[in-house]
Amino acid sequence: MSDKIRVSIDPDLEDLIPGFLNNRRQDVVQIRALLQAGDYAKIRLLGHSMKGAGGGYGFDPITDYGDEIEEAALKQDAATIEAFVSRLEDYLARVEPVFV
Amino acid sequence: MTTDSPGLPAQDDPVGAVLLVDDDPDMLKLMSAWLRGAGFSIQTAGSGSDALSKIAISRPDIVVTDLFMEGMDGMALLKEIHAGNPLLPVIMLSGQAQIPDAVQATHLGTSAFLTKPIAKERLIAEVSAQVSAVLDRKRRHGTFGAGIVFRSGIMQELLEQAEMVAQSDITVFISGETGTGKEVLARAIHDASPRAAHAFIGVNCGAIPEQLLESELFGHEKGAFTGANNRHEGLFMAANDGTMFLDEIGDMPLGLQVKMLRVLQDLQVRPVGATRSVAVNTRIISATHNKLEELVRDGEFREDLYYRLNVVPLHMPGLAERREDIPLLLEYFLGLHATRHNARRKRFDAEALEYLIAAGWPGNVRQLANTVELCATLTKGGVIAVAMAQRALREKPGRIQPLKDARDAFERRYLISVMRVANGNVATAARIAGRNRTEFYKLLGIHGIEVASFRSDATPDEPE
């Protein structure tokens, strides 16, 4: 599963995209650490932010994963959170923005 | 807190100034990029409290806020914003898309409710629509109250509200200290109303004896009382199709208040000595420097009339509440003096200006106008010095205290109050004040407050 995922992005956002994707990579690390600490409230907030911003930047899957992570955090469902964090991690590794 | 642009005051910025509020920096960057691309001036705030500070300073045309934020959430922010300025449009964003949130937000007065992830076109369309309405109102506002001199936010908000009510026939009640310009505001409302072509009649209810006031307001028939040799139409009829401004309504005698109620309820007046009422179509704007609620409580003003008059309350701020307007007002009245006397325009020197800005102004704009007139008349040269300003103000002006002095005075008053409540028991007083006993003793010592004086009937002197 190493194929690149090409995503068309608004050229006006070109300067912002590297920072946005980098922040999501940090979210992956942070959510795993928060899972260890059992801090579901904080995980929920991170999922909520992802859900809100992902689609706006043009990355719909980030919104979807954020939604799942937020919901799972509400239920304190660690397995689901880990599953979607892994999917997010994979997506971030493969996504390739194309500014058109 | 993030600041992406200096955020010019709204009135200087024809494209519209937007304040974005979100605790997610990525959302702020995204919305900033979109809206800046659409030509708006953008300011951002990372929290509700940050947003409130920015609103107070830069007065944006619109606020776009996230609902779900740590600390003060979007709903609490909306309430705070509208407590200060009910006309400022607020667009609420929510990632949760919950119907109850949207319903509550609508009830609280949000202009729009958008769900995240938001689409660029939708956000731009909503912001454009709201800003366009605001800018239209501001353009119209260029003519509203043209004679009112101000640059303060408090006056801007007041005039925006006044302009909105001008268009309707709604009854307006203006509160404010003597000399603040309540009649000027009432006239501005009349001039911007559909009644502008008809009469604006102002009456000071406190300056006319009761018997005369009744006949002045409602008119009288020939022979209605001794000396009534002719029929008198009355001011309500004279203001038919126009506006009647009743100043110092709190001084209106109780007997006349019943008649006033009838005018408001039935739109009819009955002249003194007449057997039939006459229909009138007069808009009522009333004003008082009294606290009308207190007069109602004391039985001196009818509660039903109070509610009839107080449909839209507007508060004319005292000059001390709008000190940023003082330099403009001084300039305005100096210009007026020069024109009236066909003389060279004079100016205040820097020290005089500083003195006047900090003065107490218990008589408000009226006192300022008189002060300028006196200074300009008595100054031979072109520059008015501080000594002249001091002389013109005559009474010792209430200067703004330095913060430390004000804080010290408050602390001393507070300590005395707490000690009184605690009947001189320091442990109890310290507990009430939320301090430990040692700290509390120290505070008493700093202010020279004698504990013993609270243990008998004796009490220390009140601070100045």
Side-chain angles (χ1 to χ4, degrees):
Chain A
M1 293 289 285
S2 61
D3 293 345
K4 290 287 178 196
I5 303 170
R6 290 185 160 235
V7 181
S8 298
I9 301 289
D10 182 349
D12 290 347
L13 303 180
E14 187 166 357
D15 292 346
L16 302 180
I17 295 302
F20 175 74
L21 291 175
N22 202 36
N23 286 343
R24 302 296 73 79
R25 288 184 191 103
Q26 285 176 25
D27 285 348
V28 168
V29 176
Q30 203 181 344
I31 290 173
R32 284 190 171 134
L34 291 166
L35 262 180
Q36 291 290 317
D39 190 346
Y40 289 98
K42 190 86 183 162
I43 295 172
R44 186 187 164 207
L45 282 176
L46 289 172
H48 177 80
S49 290
M50 259 187 258
K51 183 177 80 170
Y57 276 90
F59 304 104
D60 291 338
I62 294 181
T63 283
D64 297 339
Y65 300 150
D67 190 16
E68 297 288 354
I69 290 167
E70 184 184 9
E71 286 299 312
L74 267 173
K75 296 174 195 156
Q76 307 205 347
D77 177 354
T80 303
I81 293 169
E82 178 48 47
F84 281 97
V85 168
S86 294
R87 289 171 78 166
L88 174 64
E89 188 177 30
D90 175 63
Y91 179 77
L92 291 170
R94 293 163 58 205
V95 72
E96 191 174 270
V98 181
F99 299 101
V100 285
Chain B
M1 181 189 92
T2 320
T3 303
D4 291 327
S5 82
L8 294 169
Q11 72 253 40
D12 296 333
D13 189 352
V15 297
V18 184
L19 176 65
L20 301 172
V21 192
D22 202 311
D23 56 1
D24 179 357
D26 285 322
M27 275 308 296
L28 288 178
K29 286 179 192 161
L30 177 66
M31 293 190 290
S32 297
W34 284 345
L35 292 170
R36 198 177 288 115
F40 294 101
S41 160
I42 304 297
Q43 244 195 329
T44 60
S47 68
S49 54
D50 184 17
L52 290 174
S53 307
K54 294 236 162 87
I55 290 166
I57 295 164
S58 65
R59 304 212 307 274
D61 294 311
I62 186 170
V63 176
V64 179
T65 179
D66 190 23
L67 170 67
F68 190 64
M69 294 187 287
E70 282 191 285
M72 180 187 286
D73 69 9
M75 217 65 88
L77 176 62
L78 174 70
K79 281 185 195 165
E80 287 287 331
I81 289 172
H82 281 179
N85 179 5
L87 299 177
L88 182 58
V90 177
I91 293 179
M92 189 80 72
L93 309 175
S94 167
Q96 296 183 309
Q98 288 173 337
I99 291 170
D101 291 337
V103 170
Q104 197 193 348
T106 307
H107 278 298
L108 284 173
T110 24
S111 305
F113 194 96
L114 302 180
T115 54
K116 284 184 180 176
I118 42 170
K120 177 183 178 180
E121 295 72 22
R122 182 82 202 279
L123 180 68
I124 292 173
E126 281 294 349
V127 170
S128 298
Q130 299 293 336
V131 166
S132 159
V134 170
L135 293 181
D136 274 356
R137 203 168 67 226
K138 284 188 173 174
R139 271 189 285 275
R140 287 199 312 274
H141 177 64
T143 55
F144 179 82
I148 300 175
V149 180
F150 73 97
R151 69 169 164 221
S152 57
I154 194 169
M155 284 299 290
Q156 165 130 4
E157 283 165 24
L158 171 67
L159 292 189
E160 283 179 11
Q161 289 171 16
E163 188 184 5
M164 286 180 82
V165 301
Q167 294 306 313
S168 67
D169 256 353
I170 204 157
T171 304
V172 175
F173 174 74
I174 305 170
S175 60
E177 295 166 16
T178 303
T180 48
K182 297 186 288 290
E183 182 162 354
V184 176
L185 182 64
R187 191 175 280 279
I189 293 171
H190 169 77
D191 289 344
S193 76
R195 298 172 175 269
H198 301 277
F200 173 89
I201 292 180
V203 181
N204 184 333
C205 302
I208 306 172
E210 177 171 358
Q211 182 75 26
L212 191 56
L213 182 61
E214 181 174 11
S215 123
E216 277 297 302
L217 290 177
F218 304 104
H220 62 250
E221 294 296 326
K222 186 178 176 183
F225 49 84
T226 310
N229 298 325
N230 292 300
R231 186 176 173 274
H232 175 57
E233 191 180 43
L235 295 176
F236 268 110
M237 281 311 292
N240 201 24
D241 294 328
T243 303
M244 174 70 100
F245 174 61
L246 297 168
D247 201 2
E248 300 309 347
I249 188 82
D251 294 338
M252 180 175 270
L254 270 167
L256 283 192
Q257 290 177 25
V258 183
K259 281 194 135 184
M260 263 306 300
L261 196 60
R262 191 165 304 136
V263 176
L264 286 160
Q265 280 177 341
D266 308 331
L267 304 175
Q268 291 193 326
V269 291
R270 187 151 77 182
V272 179
T275 51
R276 295 173 66 180
S277 297
V278 190
V280 283
N281 173 21
T282 306
R283 181 189 198 169
I284 311 280
I285 301 178
S286 57
T288 182
H289 74 281
N290 287 316
K291 288 197 178 351
L292 221 45
E293 300 90 337
E294 286 177 11
L295 295 180
V296 169
R297 201 172 51 233
D298 296 344
E300 290 170 29
F301 201 87
R302 292 182 64 103
E303 191 173 10
D304 45 10
L305 179 59
Y306 169 72
Y307 286 115
R308 282 278 176 181
L309 292 171
N310 197 21
V311 179
V312 175
L314 297 176
H315 178 69
M316 198 74 190
L319 192 51
E321 295 172 72
R322 40 180 293 221
R323 290 184 189 276
E324 59 267 55
D325 292 339
I326 291 175
L328 276 184
L329 287 161
L330 293 171
E331 274 303 305
Y332 173 76
F333 288 115
L334 283 169
L336 215 58
H337 174 86
T339 309
R340 200 177 290 148
H341 300 279
N342 196 21
R344 188 157 61 102
R345 189 191 183 102
K346 297 180 183 179
R347 66 177 178 85
F348 288 97
D349 72 14
E351 203 183 344
L353 197 61
E354 192 183 318
Y355 172 80
L356 292 170
I357 290 170
W361 299 116
N364 296 297
V365 179
R366 189 179 296 144
Q367 185 190 15
L368 182 139
N370 293 340
T371 302
V372 172
E373 185 70 19
L374 191 62
C375 286
T377 305
L378 296 183
T379 298
K380 285 181 181 162
V383 181
I384 303 166
V386 67
M388 177 58 73
Q390 285 166 335
R391 186 176 151 196
L393 272 175
R394 273 188 226 128
E395 71 268 274
K396 194 179 163 192
R399 310 279 299 182
I400 299 177
Q401 284 181 297
L403 179 61
K404 187 184 178 307
D405 293 355
R407 195 185 287 146
D408 284 351
F410 169 78
E411 197 168 83
R412 183 175 151 77
R413 278 198 300 272
Y414 176 81
L415 292 170
I416 290 169
S417 304
V418 175
M419 285 297 285
R420 275 188 186 142
V421 169
N423 290 321
N425 184 318
V426 176
T428 307
R431 201 165 46 246
I432 293 169
R435 292 295 176 104
N436 67 43
R437 221 152 53 133
T438 313
E439 280 175 344
F440 199 80
Y441 263 117
K442 200 173 156 189
L443 282 171
L444 293 175
I446 288 169
H447 290 281
I449 298 169
E450 295 282 337
V451 174
S453 60
F454 293 92
R455 291 188 181 139
S456 63
D457 288 335
T459 51
D461 291 339
E462 281 286 342
E464 289 285 316

